[in-house]
Every structure is written in structure tokens, then in C-alpha cells.
Amino acid sequence: MLRLSDVEAKLLSDLLSARFGLVYDEARRPFLEARLMGRLKDLHLISFGEYYRYLALHPKREQELEILKSTITNNETYFFRESYQFDILVRHVVPTLGPLLTERPLRVLCAGCSSGEEAYSIGIALQTAGLELIGREWEIDACDLNPARIAQAREGKYTANSLRACDEAQKQRYFLAQDDCFMVKPRFRKGVRFFEANLAEDKTGLRWGPYDAVFCRNVLIYFSSVAFHSAVSLFFRALAPHGYLFLGHSESLVSVRDDFVPESIDGAIVYRKARAGE
Amino acid sequence: MTLTGGITDPHARIRALDGAALGPDRDAAIMHALEDRTSLVREHAIALAARYISPEILGELVGDHENAILRNSALTALERQGPYAVPHLLGLALDPDLEVAMFAVQVLSRIKDPSTIHALLPLMEHSDPNIAQAAVEALGNVKAREAVPGLIRLLTADMWVQFAVVSALGEIGDARAVGPLLECLNDELINESVAEALGKVGASDALPRLLEFLADTDRLPLRDHVLLAISSIVERNHVRSQVAAKLHRKLGEEGDRCGLIEYLSGLLSSDNSGLGRAAATLAVAAQLSKLYPAVLLRTVDSEELRWTIGLCDRFRKGMAMAQSELLSHPDPRVRRGALLTGSFSEASRELLCELLSDTDPHVRAAACLGLGHVGDVRAVPNLVERLMGGDAEERVAAAEALGRMPGESLAPLAPCLDRHGEIEPTIAALGILEAARSSLFEGRVVELLGSEHAAVRRAALRAIAASASSSEDHLVRHLDDPEESVRIEVVEMIVRRKSTKALPSLIAMLELEDHLRYHVIRGLGRLHATDAGRPLEALFSRAQAYERIEIVAALIRIGAPGLLSFLKQRLSEADTEIRRVAADGLARVATREELPLLVSLALDPDWNIRNHAAWGLGRLRLPEGRDTLLVLARDLEPVVARTARSALSKLPPA
């Protein structure tokens, strides 16, 4: 079976890091191998070294990079993953905004949203907290590098695997069962919109911010150091002065960035945008 | 020194450090950055220190007990220096400062250089337990068999060293350790580590005692460790039928009494893949038939399916005896698993054909695959029926099964090969003929070569290429197919068939200027077409960049006359990728005469070229390459450092 050599792994990782900001260390090498094998087959190439040369020089390389983008960013997620963070959004972030939200909607960014489960989960959390009843509105912008995932998110159709953290009551309340799949009910799609973006390159034509909260969970761990700092800087610029950044439970900005202040809320760490002079 | 102190952005500090590393204040800048407040900068400084700072100076920092950050940075840098630092570290291991000695031995442990064994052996009985422990660990890491007698003696040493000894014996994997380790199984403080070590040693002598332990203890996590050890031993050894019978007696008769079946059953349905597999190994090896359904339920996951197929291949007898029961199990997932993991003979044909009508589509698909493995041609009509009328999974499975049948038995496929028929069944049928290497419908397949659909033409070409002796003529004719994807596939097929007839046509295609030429160039290289050498060289100067690089790669494969000279010229190309491929080629064909050139490539700013230089020096195995390799072993790029260390290990001892 064809294997990625050390040299090929570095050549390809460097290229992917430069292009998409993603890193593939040794632990993720089997993942990369498995994903790239299909591309080699489709292009009739016989080694990863040839594939690297194809990506570096072939006239059709841009086309291939578009395909590759979808191939290597298939990160699986599910509804209500680490849901305590949504509770923090509802119980702490929203109240601190107080009267501001009578004048404008709550604005949340889901960065690296994959197939949309997180964005819809936030929408559901805001709905079920009764915010609509008291006249609050929200806009949840969700972006991902992978166009296929964005398409899936827009469709809002999921298998049981995505609902594995939902009990039966939640499945019935939030979803419509259709054959073997589950569709997010229309009222829980309200305020959620999806778009393609590359967090490592701040070239999107869409306005970034200001957001009251940014969720970027279990995404930055795959980024190169340069891309990591670029993305976090983007979040800093995109957040409103009081804004919060939510990361995955194994991710941290402590001793890495001094433009975010870690706060312990309900036993979890969230990062508040530092105020001037802080 | 505050070269970078005033710069707040860590990336800017790194850039400043890189700049300083090129100037006269290099060493001072690096030393200062080794204690930078940001780990990102420190890591970069460590890489530079490994490259430019001597082990002697770094060793002095190891003795700085006031500054842990600086000391740790120095230790990491020494580790990165690898074999280059070993002589100095061996000296530090005897330092009167016991902490320095301990750190030195710990770094040697991580470097894993076999040349350090004799220096480390006496240290495992050092009066300082930290040094002794570090030495024991180091000897385990280099798998020093010479250390085994001494380590066995130390099994009765104090606990601090004992843990390290048990672990080291496991790493070394010498069977002499089995008896002494088994004696330690009753020591509650270390028995988990002992079980793990026995699993790593992998000797079947340990099985009887471990099985008793597994049956007699219900304490977790000890039981888990023992199970993992047993499974590791069973997998690594050919477990003879007497041992399998012993396993069955011990566990089958007594397992239920000790709650063992319940324990294994729980693991089989858990998310813990390692323990689940260990439980499955034991269940199948010991023929614990009560657990077979639970083993098969794991095969719903495709990774576990692949693994379980391998397990059942090794222990056929047990599952075979329970086969008919499993195939009629009420849970379709068990029936499917039994079909996919089982081995079947012609006697199973009727049973498998019955399962083609199972209520569950996944079971029906698995039954198709089973029939394919049996290879009984009487099943062909049934399989063709599934091919035409089944759901997607069944159609794929039926196609795979039919592909395993003798080519002459595939007459029922005739309706699928109608030129005017539907595309999908036609392509499926052609795929089957390709897999079966059947020439049964050669005439019809040749007709399909003229299909208006490119996908059909491609499938027909593949079928022809797999079977007909006259296929080369058909392939050559389709080198001018109107569809580029077909032409590309034709080139691929020519290469796979190692066709010589097509060579003149391929060489002639070097004059065309389209994307196909890229594939032709690659193809000629893979065919080792010596006649293509001169035309490829002649094409080089007028080819596009992406073709030029493949021309270099092809010429390397062909081993054309004048290759060395050609590659040397390519080393001065402006395009880095061409230089890289040329350096790769040079490393493969260089002789002693090219040693100075390889040494100069070792200084190239491009890491990839330095890597090829290291590899080439290793291939030549010339002692004169040692100094260069020692420099490369400290390269800033870890890939290069690893290649250099591997190359050093090939050289005759200094």
C-alpha cells in the first residue's frame, strides 16, 4: 500500500499550510494519506511526490486545489457538542449586552462551521431560551472552507450520527424525520446563514463583524502557527469591544495571545476581547 | 543582549532572530532567545542552537540550576543534536553534579543511539536512583539485550527503579525476562506494568499464568492490562490447537463463574477499540461461541470489519463451527458480519443463495460477496439477477462477486452488453469482464469501443486491456480518442501492460503540445523506455515547466546514458522544483566521484536538496561523508536531521 514518506508529507503539508493554513502533523498523516489516495487514483498518479509536483506546477492545479479543499476538510461534528458553551452564551453573554439588543440583533460568528450543526445548535439554544419572546433577534453567520459542507449546512439535513447527543424529545422538538434523515425545522433555521471562507486568508468580500461572540471550536488545532495567529487576529478585529471568543475545550490562548483575557464562567474558560490598556 | 526584547510580536522576534543568525552576534542572539517568554520563539531558538551552538556550551547551561527555562531549552537542543552531542553527553553522564548527570542520561535516553549501550550499562546500578532510573530507561529505549541479566537482578530494587526496569524489559522484548516478570505479577504496585511488559515481550510461555490471572481477578484496570497482554501474545504467536483448547477449557468452563464472559461482552460493545479488539481476539482464539454475535456486531464499523476479517482468517476453525447458527441469527448485523468474515466452500452455495433473499439489503449484499469467494459458477445467474435488480449496495457486491468468477461462465451478462442499452449496467458488466479477465464477449466489447459515451469506451478499453492478446492494437488506436480522459487512461493502460508495441506511438506523441504529453512523459519513464531518452532530452528546453520536471524524473527512471551530466546541469536551473528532482536523481546515481558535489548540496538553502544530499551520502556509505552528515544531523529541518541520522547509521563505525 502506498505510504506518505517523511519528505512527501512535509512537501504536501507545507503546501497545504501555505494555501489553506492547515497543518498535518505526524499524528494526522494517516488521515491525509487516506484522503489523498483518491485524488492520486483520479489523476492517474503513482506517488504522493508526483501529486505534490502536480499541485505545484500543473496548469490544472487550481482546479485540483479546489477539489482538494473539500477532500481534506471533512471534519465531523454533531449537534449540541460542548453545549455548556451555548448555555454560557445565553446566560452570561446575552444579559451583559442588555439594552443594546433592543436596538440591534445579537450577532454570532461560527468560524469553521463544517456542516452546520454548531450554528443550528446555537440558534436552537437562543430560541429555547425564549429570547424571541422578549423581542430579541439574532444573526448567526457560519463559515467554512469546504463548499460541500456549506451546501450540506444550507440543506440542514442530517443522519442520526449528527444527532447522537440528542435525546428523543430533542429529536422530535427540533427536527423533522425524513426516511433515515433529520431535517432542522424551519423555525430553528431563522437567523442562520452560511458562507464559504478561508480563515487563514482574510480576503472575504463579506463584512467581518462586529460580532458579540465568535465560536471557533476544534478548528485552530489544525492550523499552522502563522494561520492560527492570523485567524485569532481576525477574530479580534471582528469582535465588538465586549465580545467573547469560544474555543474547543482542548484549545487555549493563555500565554499565546495577550489581546484576549481568559475568564472562568460556570467552570469553563472563555476569552473576552481585551479592552484598551488591559 | 536585547536584540528581540523590545519587539512584542513573537513572529517579528523570530524574524529578527533569523536575521541575527546570519551575522556576527549569532550565538549571543540564540542564547538570549533560548529563554524568550514565548514558547514559539524558544522553539525556534532551540532549532538554531542545535544547529550552531556546540554541545559543550549547551552542556554548561544544563548545569544552571537557577534558570529552568534556559536549562530545558539547552536539553532540548542537545537532544536535537542527536549523534553529534552523544560524545559530550556521555562525559556529562559522569559529571559530579548528580542532577547534570541525570539530565545527560535522560537526553541520551531520548536520542536512542546504540553506541551508548556500554557506557550506560554500569549506570543502571548507580547509587543515585534518579540516574539509575534514567539509565534503565535509556537501555530500554535502545533495546539493549546486553542489559537483560542486570535488569532482571534489579527487579528486586527499590520501587523507583523497579517501574523503569519492568518497562525496559518490555521494550527490549527478550524472552529471558518472562519468568522473572511472571513472578512479579502478584506485586500489586507493579502488576499492571508487568502485564504490559509481558504483552510487549510477546512470549507464549506467559499465557497460562496470564489466563489464570484474567480468570481470577476482577479488579480494573488490572484486568484490562492483562487482557491486552494476552491478546498481544495470541496475535504475535501462532497459537497451536492445544493452546487454543487450553484457552477454551480455562475460559469456557470457568469464564462464566468469574464473570469473565460478562466482562468480555461489555468490552465488545464498548467504544474502546483497543480493549474491544483484545476481547474479540480472546473470544475467537478461545472459541467462546457465546461471544461470537458480539464480535460480529463490531463489524458494522468498516475499520473493525477489516480487522475482524483478519482475525477470523487466523482462527477459522472456531467461527466455522458456529457458522450456520450465526447466519440464521435474528440480528441482521450479525448475519452480515458472519457472511463478511466467514470462509465458505462450494457446500455453502445453497445457503448463500438463500440469503440472497434475506429481508435485509446489507445481508443480501454480503451474501453476494460470499458467493464470489466460493467461486461456484452455478451462482452466476443469481448474481446477475442481483446486479440487474438489487439496490446500490447489492449491485456493487454482485459485480465484485461476478468479477471473481471464471471468465467463460459469464454468459448471463450478455443482455448488459448491448451497445444501445443503458450505460450503468453496460459499464458494470464491462467492469466485471475486466476483473475476471474474460475474453468471452470480445466482439461485443470491441464494438463498445466505438460507443458515443466516453465512460463506456474507457470501461471497454479496460476490459480489452485485461484480457485480449490483441489489446495493444486497440489501445494504440485509441491514443487519438476524441476525449482527453480516454486518451489519458489509454496511456495508463499501456504502461500497466508494459506494452512495447505502443512505444513508437508514445514517443511520436512527444511532438504534440497538449496535456496528454505530460502523461506520455511519465509513462515513458515508468516503461523504462531507453529509446525515449534522446527525444526526452531534446524536448526539455522547449517543454513547459510542469513537463520539464517530469522529463527529469523520467530520465532518472530510464537511466539514460549521459544522465549524470544532464542532472548536474539541472542543478543550476532557476526552478527549485527541477533542482529538487535533479538532486533526488543525483543522490540515486552518484558515485564516489560525486562526493564533493553531494557535500556542496548539503549546504543548499533548500531543505529538500539537503535531504537528498544526506540520503545520497548514506547510500554511498563513504567515511568521508561523516562530517557532512554530522552537520546535517543538526539541521533546522527535522526531516533532514532524521535522514542524516539514518545515513550515519549506514556508515562504517568511526
Side-chain angles (χ1 to χ4, degrees):
Chain A
M1 189 182 149
L2 199 56
R3 287 255 176 259
L4 260 173
S5 69
D6 279 356
V7 171
E8 288 164 340
K10 175 160 171 69
L11 286 169
L12 285 163
S13 308
D14 284 355
L15 188 149
L16 295 172
S17 176
R19 182 63 184 231
F20 305 125
L22 300 170
V23 287
Y24 293 87
D25 55 19
E26 207 159 321
R28 295 189 82 210
R29 198 181 290 190
F31 170 86
L32 192 61
E33 245 172 34
R35 293 302 168 98
L36 296 186
M37 203 70 80
R39 299 312 311 139
L40 261 66
K41 205 174 158 195
D42 284 353
L43 295 170
H44 302 291
L45 301 176
I46 60 165
S47 75
F48 292 106
E50 277 196 338
Y51 186 57
Y52 165 75
R53 296 199 296 267
Y54 190 101
L55 292 175
L57 292 168
H58 198 279
K60 292 187 179 175
R61 62 186 178 281
E62 286 301 324
Q63 210 171 309
E64 177 58 23
L65 282 162
E66 275 303 302
I67 297 172
L68 185 59
K69 190 166 78 168
S70 297
T71 307
I72 58 172
T73 56
N74 247 350
N75 291 324
E76 190 238 344
T77 183
Y78 54 92
F79 281 88
F80 309 119
R81 186 177 185 185
E82 296 179 66
S83 60
Y84 63 89
Q85 291 181 322
F86 310 145
D87 295 338
I88 292 172
L89 175 72
V90 166
R91 289 210 299 266
H92 292 273
V93 177
V94 169
T96 59
L97 294 171
L100 278 177
L101 294 183
T102 59
E103 295 161 16
R104 62 155 176 87
L106 171 74
R107 299 201 69 240
V108 177
L109 173 67
C110 290
C113 68
S114 186
S115 39
E117 288 94 327
E118 178 183 85
Y120 287 128
S121 296
I122 294 172
I124 289 170
L126 294 171
Q127 277 271 1
T128 53
L131 293 184
E132 202 178 23
L133 295 173
I134 57 170
R136 300 290 180 264
E137 292 183 343
W138 52 84
E139 289 173 1
I140 301 171
D141 289 345
C143 67
D144 198 87
L145 181 66
N146 187 330
R149 289 301 203 176
I150 291 294
Q152 186 186 356
R154 286 186 182 129
E155 198 186 1
K157 188 171 171 182
Y158 301 93
T159 65
N161 196 41
S162 289
L163 275 65
R164 60 184 182 267
C166 299
D167 58 33
E168 282 309 312
Q170 285 171 319
K171 284 179 191 172
Q172 286 190 23
R173 201 177 303 139
Y174 307 134
F175 302 93
L176 294 163
Q178 222 182 57
D179 299 322
D180 286 339
C181 292
F182 297 85
M183 303 283 290
V184 177
K185 285 182 178 173
R187 65 181 276 242
F188 297 113
R189 297 178 185 234
K190 200 175 143 197
V192 183
R193 59 185 181 190
F194 297 98
F195 59 100
E196 279 179 55
N198 183 349
L199 293 176
E201 293 175 352
D202 185 13
K203 287 182 192 143
T204 177
L206 292 168
R207 187 170 58 97
W208 285 92
Y211 293 103
D212 303 302
V214 170
F215 285 77
C216 186
R217 309 184 306 164
N218 306 303
V219 172
L220 297 177
I221 47 177
Y222 302 117
F223 276 32
S224 66
S225 173
V226 170
F228 171 95
H229 285 281
S230 174
V232 176
S233 297
L234 169 65
F235 299 151
F236 182 86
R237 292 192 300 278
L239 276 167
H242 51 263
Y244 283 89
L245 174 60
F246 292 79
L247 301 180
H249 71 271
S250 63
E251 297 166 308
S252 173
L253 296 182
V254 174
S255 302
V256 177
R257 299 282 298 213
D258 48 23
D259 47 358
F260 282 90
V261 177
E263 282 191 5
S264 176
I265 303 179
D266 289 349
I269 300 292
V270 295
Y271 296 90
R272 177 177 51 76
K273 177 172 174 170
R275 299 179 191 104
E278 198 167 6
Chain B
M1 176 69 189
T2 59
L3 171 76
T4 58
I7 305 172
T8 52
D9 176 16
H11 286 101
R13 290 206 296 282
I14 288 174
R15 285 194 293 274
L17 181 58
D18 282 339
L22 299 170
D25 297 321
R26 180 189 68 193
D27 288 10
I30 292 171
M31 299 292 277
H32 179 79
L34 283 175
E35 47 183 326
D36 191 277
R37 61 186 180 277
T38 305
S39 61
L40 193 66
V41 178
R42 286 199 305 275
E43 278 160 26
H44 193 73
I46 287 168
L48 289 169
R51 176 67 185 85
Y52 296 116
I53 308 292
S54 72
E56 289 76 13
I57 293 178
L58 290 172
E60 282 170 24
L61 299 180
V62 173
D64 184 348
H65 301 308
E66 302 299 314
N67 190 335
I69 291 178
L70 192 57
R71 182 192 64 207
N72 291 342
S73 293
L75 286 167
T76 309
L78 282 165
E79 184 186 335
R80 280 189 71 152
Q81 289 186 332
Y84 186 74
V86 162
H88 188 70
L89 285 166
L90 287 174
L92 281 182
L94 303 172
D95 198 283
D97 183 331
L98 295 181
E99 211 166 60
V100 169
M102 176 194 72
F103 285 131
V105 177
Q106 285 175 343
V107 174
L108 286 168
S109 172
R110 290 193 289 272
I111 292 174
K112 301 182 193 178
D113 187 331
S115 71
T116 60
I117 289 176
H118 291 289
L120 289 170
L121 278 171
L123 293 177
M124 66 177 178
E125 294 186 79
H126 199 285
S127 56
D128 181 281
N130 290 325
I131 295 174
Q133 190 243 15
V136 164
E137 201 175 285
L139 288 162
N141 283 345
V142 295
K143 303 193 190 300
R145 300 190 95 89
E146 303 91 322
V148 169
L151 288 170
I152 288 174
R153 279 196 303 275
L154 288 171
L155 275 172
T156 52
D158 74 56
M159 195 175 64
W160 183 243
V161 176
Q162 229 187 2
F163 273 119
V165 167
V166 168
S167 177
L169 286 170
E171 289 302 317
I172 295 169
D174 189 309
R176 289 176 287 175
V178 171
L181 283 171
L182 283 172
E183 282 171 29
C184 297
L185 257 184
N186 287 319
D187 184 334
E188 289 193 356
L189 289 172
I190 57 170
N191 53 13
E192 287 173 23
S193 303
V194 168
E196 196 178 320
L198 285 165
K200 286 184 182 175
V201 172
S204 57
D205 298 353
L207 267 182
R209 184 78 184 91
L210 284 171
L211 284 169
E212 273 175 29
F213 221 86
L214 185 73
D216 294 343
T217 188
D218 58 2
R219 279 181 32 232
L220 296 174
L222 174 61
R223 206 177 208 185
D224 291 345
H225 285 280
V226 173
L227 174 64
L228 287 167
I230 291 170
S231 135
S232 173
I233 293 169
V234 166
E235 281 176 24
R236 286 165 63 168
N237 293 273
H238 179 69
V239 176
R240 294 185 298 278
S241 56
Q242 300 98 309
V243 176
K246 221 185 264 184
L247 277 174
H248 178 78
R249 264 202 309 279
K250 182 70 195 171
L251 299 177
E253 291 157 12
E254 300 181 37
D256 265 347
R257 206 169 64 224
C258 310
L260 189 58
I261 298 292
E262 194 186 326
Y263 162 68
L264 293 174
S265 179
L267 291 178
L268 287 168
S269 57
S270 76
D271 287 336
N272 188 319
S273 171
L275 283 169
R277 287 184 180 186
T281 300
L282 193 55
V284 172
Q287 296 176 30
L288 303 175
S289 54
K290 274 188 201 177
L291 294 173
Y292 290 166
V295 170
L296 293 175
L297 281 173
R298 293 167 52 75
T299 63
V300 168
D301 177 273
S302 58
E303 273 296 315
E304 293 303 321
L305 170 62
R306 268 193 290 276
W307 182 87
T308 308
I309 288 173
L311 175 68
C312 294
D313 273 345
R314 288 192 58 207
F315 298 102
R316 285 190 183 286
K317 196 174 160 191
M319 293 283 256
M321 284 173 11
Q323 196 175 73
S324 60
E325 201 182 310
L326 293 169
L327 289 175
S328 53
H329 195 276
D331 191 328
R333 295 172 299 173
V334 173
R335 297 199 298 278
R336 174 186 176 268
L339 283 164
L340 294 174
T341 59
S343 83
F344 301 97
S345 63
E346 280 191 18
S348 320
R349 185 187 63 85
E350 276 186 34
L351 176 57
L352 291 172
C353 284
E354 271 176 39
L355 287 165
L356 287 179
S357 311
D358 194 281
T359 52
D360 187 278
H362 303 299
V363 175
R364 295 197 298 271
C368 289
L369 293 174
L371 283 166
H373 284 290
V374 170
D376 187 331
V377 303
R378 289 175 293 175
V380 168
N382 305 81
L383 288 169
V384 172
E385 206 183 299
R386 291 292 94 211
L387 180 74
M388 309 280 276
D391 71 10
E393 190 185 347
E394 286 173 80
R395 292 199 299 275
V396 168
E400 188 181 318
L402 286 163
R404 290 173 172 270
M405 295 296 178
E408 59 276 13
S409 69
L410 296 172
L413 281 179
C416 302
L417 292 166
D418 181 352
R419 186 175 175 156
H420 304 290
E422 287 182 24
I423 296 179
E424 203 194 302
T426 304
I427 291 176
L430 288 167
I432 291 165
L433 293 175
E434 178 196 352
R437 306 183 78 83
S438 172
S439 55
L440 188 61
F441 295 103
E442 190 169 327
R444 287 215 205 176
V445 176
V446 170
E447 266 184 45
L448 287 168
L449 288 175
S451 166
E452 56 178 341
H453 302 287
V456 173
R457 295 199 300 278
R458 274 200 301 272
L461 281 164
R462 287 195 289 265
I464 282 278
S467 63
S469 55
S470 60
S471 64
E472 285 192 41
D473 294 327
H474 293 295
L475 290 175
V476 171
R477 274 201 284 278
H478 278 268
L479 278 172
D480 61 3
D481 191 283
E483 172 73 25
E484 185 184 78
S485 65
V486 176
R487 296 198 301 273
I488 290 172
E489 188 131 5
V490 167
V491 171
E492 271 305 299
M493 284 186 247
I494 286 170
V495 172
R496 280 201 296 269
R497 283 185 63 93
K498 300 188 187 352
S499 162
T500 48
K501 212 167 183 177
L503 277 180
S505 303
L506 289 179
I507 292 173
M509 289 172 81
L510 292 176
E511 295 308 312
L512 299 173
E513 294 198 7
D514 68 9
H515 288 148
L516 185 62
R517 190 163 74 180
Y518 161 82
H519 293 279
V520 170
I521 293 167
R522 290 175 51 247
L524 288 167
R526 286 161 64 196
L527 287 167
H528 301 278
T530 45
D531 288 348
R534 278 196 203 278
L536 283 169
E537 248 184 275
L539 175 61
F540 184 82
S541 56
R542 46 178 219 278
Q544 307 255 356
Y546 75 106
E547 292 173 318
R548 283 154 58 104
I549 199 170
E550 299 306 328
I551 289 172
V552 178
L555 287 169
I556 292 168
R557 281 179 178 269
I558 291 169
L563 175 64
L564 209 44
S565 160
F566 177 83
L567 292 175
K568 286 178 185 176
Q569 285 172 42
R570 304 286 75 78
L571 288 173
S572 43
E573 295 273 344
D575 190 316
T576 305
E577 299 300 340
I578 292 183
R579 294 182 60 236
R580 285 173 167 180
V581 174
D584 182 7
L586 190 77
R588 290 170 196 280
V589 303
T591 65
R592 172 182 277 277
E593 272 77 57
E594 278 73 50
L595 179 62
L597 178 55
L598 286 174
V599 169
S600 76
L601 289 178
L603 300 173
D604 197 281
D606 183 77
W607 71 269
N608 189 267
I609 291 174
R610 295 198 303 277
N611 189 72
H612 290 308
W615 190 89
L617 289 168
R619 186 182 70 82
L620 287 175
R621 298 177 194 252
L622 296 170
E624 298 93 311
R626 178 179 299 280
D627 288 344
T628 302
L629 285 170
L630 281 172
V631 171
L632 289 174
R634 295 174 292 145
D635 199 274
L636 294 179
E637 174 45 56
V639 171
V640 178
R642 275 200 295 275
T643 303
R645 289 190 198 189
S646 171
L648 275 166
S649 70
K650 293 178 184 162
L651 266 55

